Amino acid sequence: MAIMEKVIDASPQQVFDVLADGWTYSDWVVGTAHMRDVDDAWPRVGSQLHHRAGPWPLSLQDASTVLVCEPPHRLVLKAGLWPAGEAIVAFTLEPVGDGATRVRIGEDFAAGPLRWVHNKINDLVLHLRNRETLDRLSDIATRQKGAS
């Protein structure tokens, strides 16, 4: 599993509030182009985000499903990208210092062709994508912190 972490200058609850707002995923999840719908129960276990991923006109419609939700410390998703496959994505939030949070994102392909394509180039692309994803998550969480 590829793991990336970043310390964000916001509390675990403030960061989790961004994770709990399904409509923001296309703002901070690199590769998600458009949110089509968010289940009313999001982020309860079994609820889904319905999204488009990839560049237009080649983007794919799929959904991500909550597997584990332990506010404000953990959220695990099964992210669909069919026909390429699906990934298990785990967010772990740990308080550090005064009002900061260490956010870890772990991602591993669980099904489909991407599960068997494991090489240094794919690892680098995933690393860079997840670093940018955490940077964007940080921007939103700290902006919301300033607004509260």
Side-chain angles (χ1 to χ4, degrees):
M1 176 176 279
I3 298 176
M4 169 70 54
E5 71 176 48
K6 178 180 183 80
V7 174
I8 296 177
D9 186 26
S11 72
Q13 186 62 58
Q14 289 163 322
V15 176
F16 197 87
D17 287 347
V18 178
L19 298 178
D21 182 355
W23 289 105
T24 68
Y25 272 62
S26 60
D27 296 336
W28 60 270
V29 176
V30 174
T32 303
H34 174 71
M35 297 309 303
R36 297 180 294 114
D37 195 17
V38 176
D39 288 0
D40 290 339
W42 181 265
R44 282 191 293 207
V45 171
S47 62
Q48 293 187 320
L49 296 173
H50 306 272
H51 48 74
R52 292 185 70 83
W56 184 89
L58 305 174
S59 60
L60 305 170
Q61 289 191 77
D62 215 323
S64 293
T65 305
V66 178
L67 300 177
V68 177
C69 181
E70 299 169 354
H73 301 290
R74 189 164 175 242
L75 184 66
V76 180
L77 308 174
K78 178 174 65 176
L81 294 169
W82 290 100
E86 65 188 23
I88 302 299
V89 183
F91 296 92
T92 305
L93 288 66
E94 173 190 340
V96 292
D98 187 27
T101 303
R102 176 174 290 109
V103 180
R104 288 186 183 94
I105 180 173
E107 185 169 7
D108 201 12
F109 292 106
L114 291 176
R115 183 174 182 192
W116 296 284
V117 179
H118 184 84
N119 60 45
K120 290 184 186 281
I121 294 172
N122 289 346
D123 288 349
L124 177 62
V125 169
L126 192 59
H127 175 84
L128 295 172
R129 183 181 83 90
N130 285 344
R131 183 172 63 195
E132 178 63 19
T133 290
L134 288 177
D135 287 348
R136 292 178 186 187
L137 176 63
S138 176
D139 289 346
I140 293 171
T142 55
R143 184 173 62 234
Q144 288 182 356
K145 175 184 177 180
S148 56

